[in-house]
Amino acid sequence: MAIQAWLALPMLALLGGLLALSPLGSQVLRRGVVFIDLAVAQAAAAAVIGVHFVLDMESLWLDQVAASAGALVVSLAIAGITRRWPAQREALIGLLYVAGACLAMLGASAHPHGKEKLLQLLAADVLWVNTSSVLALMVCALVMGWVRQTRWLAKDTAFYALFALVTSLAVPALGLFLVFSCLIAPALWVERGMRPWTAVLTAWAAALMGLLLSWWLDTPSGPTIALSLTLWGVVSLWMAPKPLQRPDAPKP
């Protein structure tokens, strides 16, 4: 019973992350900007590392402000890239990701605890997620649940702003690798015709399997869950696609 209570927060964090990120993942696939999550999430991580390097202090609120600022700046840059250079957008977004990763590594190498902080942001240990992070993910899930009933995600301004906000809140709690898996794995099933709610629930089941495996095998929870979700997403490639109405598809 104690183990079940201890796993409640990680389970809720995974569900909240999937509910918040999956609608954005479908938009990412439809817009053809798959690298956006890696670039924006890496920018959030680099901003957190940068703040630690400059101020040399620990603060969850400061980390969140830095992550949100870094994610918003790069998200707006990507919005401009997709309008100005649509043919080269994936290549340029990939370069933004590399730049963010390099800046994060340079900052981490210059700080006594930088490497540990960088590893946490890349592959967070979900088993130790705190209550405030879970509440933030659940609020994001509720907001995205409402937004997906509207046509806001079809508008560039709303999409990129929401993407930056949700990603910056999810990365400190789940880590970059798991955020990307939560974003893309359910979206791949939706692209094959699965209903969004079914895709989220089956992805949650795959994530919980990864969580239990990390518990039983004593492996890092973030990478283990990300691998489980990745395998689940890849399985969708062997499913025959079905037509699915897309009320939130972006306007041409």
Side-chain angles (χ1 to χ4, degrees):
M1 192 70 175
I3 293 177
Q4 294 176 353
W6 186 41
L7 291 177
L9 280 180
M11 291 170 65
L12 288 174
L14 292 170
L15 179 59
L18 285 164
L19 288 171
L21 291 163
S22 59
L24 295 169
S26 293
Q27 284 291 321
V28 164
L29 293 184
R30 294 167 196 173
R31 291 167 180 267
V33 288
V34 177
F35 284 151
I36 183 177
D37 176 60
L38 292 175
V40 172
Q42 187 63 70
V48 172
I49 295 294
V51 166
H52 277 260
F53 173 70
V54 173
L55 300 180
D56 193 21
M57 60 182 294
E58 287 284 343
S59 170
L60 292 177
W61 287 107
L62 188 61
D63 284 359
Q64 190 55 65
V65 170
S68 298
L72 185 59
V73 168
V74 171
S75 187
L76 292 175
I78 291 173
I81 285 171
T82 56
R83 287 194 299 268
R84 182 74 181 273
W85 300 287
Q88 294 83 21
R89 60 188 177 188
E90 281 291 85
L92 293 172
I93 293 171
L95 288 178
L96 283 177
Y97 165 69
V98 171
C102 291
L103 287 172
M105 292 179 69
L106 289 172
S109 66
H111 193 277
H113 304 290
K115 292 182 180 179
E116 291 82 357
K117 189 69 177 178
L118 180 58
L119 181 60
Q120 177 189 353
L121 291 168
L122 291 176
D125 194 343
V126 186
L127 286 171
W128 301 104
V129 67
N130 56 50
T131 305
S132 60
S133 294
V134 173
L135 288 176
L137 289 173
M138 284 300 177
V139 170
C140 286
L142 290 173
V143 171
M144 291 306 302
W146 173 74
V147 168
R148 76 184 308 165
Q149 304 302 318
T150 70
R151 293 191 59 84
W152 283 14
L153 289 179
K155 301 176 181 178
D156 284 349
T157 303
F159 168 71
Y160 287 108
L162 284 169
F163 194 95
L165 176 62
V166 174
T167 302
S168 66
L169 288 168
V171 166
L174 304 177
L176 187 152
F177 300 147
L178 187 48
V179 166
F180 187 79
S181 299
C182 289
L183 187 85
I184 298 300
L188 287 173
W189 281 96
V190 172
E191 287 292 300
R192 289 288 173 172
M194 184 178 283
R195 295 185 178 277
W197 273 102
T198 306
V200 167
L201 291 177
T202 53
W204 190 39
L208 293 181
M209 181 61 68
L211 181 65
L212 291 176
L213 282 174
S214 71
W215 171 264
W216 290 331
L217 302 177
D218 194 24
T219 58
S221 60
T224 306
I225 298 169
L227 280 173
S228 181
L229 277 172
T230 297
L231 290 173
W232 175 241
V234 170
V235 171
S236 68
L237 300 178
W238 280 268
M239 303 300 292
K242 300 176 182 178
L244 180 66
Q245 186 178 2
R246 297 173 174 177
D248 58 344
K251 298 176 182 178

